[in-house]
Amino acid sequence: VAPPAPAGINRDNYGTGIKLQEVSQAGNRFLQVIRLTNGSSATLSNMISVGDVLTSIDSFHVDSNYDATVVRNMLTGVRGSRVSLGFRKPHGEEYDVDLVRNVRSVKKSSDGEAQQQAQPQQQYQPPAPA
């Protein structure tokens, strides 16, 4: 039996190691990658870069009318579960990447910075084709 989770941590609250920031430009708002957690599936995929814009989560289109709570809930889940994300590079190229949730999302520290840590995993393996 696993030990109880520390206060403020949901055992099913794992992400992919991508820190996003809302950016507004020309009246539109979008979520841009500002940091990747070392050792996370996002980093190990070698596809996602700081500056890329999130465009979809499991085929759900993330447009300028997105609800931040819905997006956050879709990005997190049970450790080891998979999620398919779509991104757009700054030069316009769009791509999809399948990731494994392996980074525990926790409450912000007293300095306001979210603390995340990648959980040990073996080499990143993309999902098998369906």
Side-chain angles (χ1 to χ4, degrees), residues 18-130:
I18 301 169
K19 175 145 174 102
L20 299 165
Q21 178 177 322
E22 184 176 303
V23 177
S24 294
Q25 191 174 54
N28 292 317
R29 59 188 196 127
F30 50 90
L31 293 170
Q32 187 172 50
V33 177
I34 61 168
R35 183 177 24 212
L36 300 171
T37 301
N38 288 337
S40 67
S41 61
T43 301
L44 297 173
S45 75
N46 290 318
M47 293 180 69
I48 305 166
S49 302
V50 169
D52 291 357
V53 172
L54 180 68
T55 59
S56 66
I57 306 168
D58 287 333
S59 301
F60 173 81
H61 182 69
V62 179
D63 60 18
S64 62
N65 296 317
Y66 68 85
D67 179 300
T69 302
V70 170
V71 168
R72 181 174 47 251
N73 289 340
M74 291 180 76
L75 287 171
T76 59
V78 176
R79 180 181 180 195
S81 62
R82 296 182 183 274
V83 62
S84 180
L85 303 179
F87 290 94
R88 183 177 57 251
K89 295 279 187 191
H91 61 272
E93 174 190 358
E94 294 195 7
Y95 66 96
D96 294 314
V97 61
D98 292 324
L99 300 174
V100 175
R101 293 175 176 107
N102 72 329
V103 177
R104 182 170 296 209
S105 299
V106 299
K107 285 186 173 182
K108 292 184 177 182
S109 64
S110 60
D111 65 1
E113 188 64 26
Q115 302 297 310
Q116 296 182 334
Q117 180 178 1
Q119 301 298 307
Q121 71 176 37
Q122 296 183 0
Q123 182 177 355
Y124 173 70
Q125 296 291 324

